[in-house]
Amino acid sequence: MDARKGVGIGSIAPRGPAARPATRAGALNPESIDEEPELTPEQRDELRTLLETKRAEILASIETRQEQERDTGREVGDEMDEANIEGATAMASRLLERDVQLLSEIDRALAKFRDGTYGLCEGTGEPIGFPRLRSRPWARFSVEYQEQLEREARTRGGV
């Protein structure tokens, strides 16, 4: 029987920035001792700008989708017309939900700027690398920690 079975995300105790280890000796991947440096002020400014730009884009997208949803009139038509309208409405609804979720993640990242924890992995307290944050500025976990979460989810039969 797998000794890891039953170990879930809830069993991984996230540590805040105050609990950050002094060294990376206990890091998830001991071979990758090349510690990610803290973000420079210039990098932080670039990432904040990326987040604010993406937030504005998403807000515009949400507003557009909501307008389209309101404009979708319910004209009486045949069954094919009804099925097409229902399919389009369901797709628009899923896209809207995705945008709202992403907006929430972006707002969370912007709040982390305010409280000084932006760029730190929520699971380990270690810095998240600039390349990861540049491609996904709302990232909450380092690559290593995210991979660990995904492995554990697979062992539980998830993802």
Side-chain angles (χ1 to χ4, degrees), residues 72-150:
T72 303
R74 287 292 183 179
E75 298 175 17
V76 176
D78 64 12
E79 289 178 20
M80 284 300 283
D81 290 339
E82 285 295 318
N84 286 336
I85 290 170
E86 287 300 319
T89 302
M91 176 61 79
S93 180
R94 283 193 297 276
L95 292 173
L96 184 60
E97 288 174 21
R98 184 199 66 192
D99 283 350
V100 168
Q101 177 63 34
L102 183 53
L103 182 63
S104 173
E105 291 294 321
I106 290 170
D107 286 342
R108 180 184 188 118
L110 289 169
K112 290 172 79 173
F113 267 103
R114 289 188 291 277
D115 68 20
T117 60
Y118 181 79
L120 299 177
C121 176
E122 291 181 14
T124 64
E126 293 292 323
I128 300 171
F130 179 66
R132 175 166 171 78
L133 290 170
R134 187 178 224 180
S135 67
R136 188 179 171 105
W138 52 87
R140 297 170 54 189
F141 305 113
S142 65
V143 171
E144 294 84 10
Y145 190 75
Q146 182 70 46
E147 288 172 349
Q148 178 184 345
L149 293 175
E150 290 170 3

Side-chain angles (χ1 to χ4, degrees), residues 38-54:
E38 298 285 336
L39 296 173
T40 66
E42 294 80 20
Q43 290 172 330
R44 292 176 63 81
D45 289 342
E46 178 182 339
L47 294 168
R48 185 190 312 258
T49 300
L50 283 171
L51 285 165
E52 290 169 346
T53 301
K54 186 67 172 176

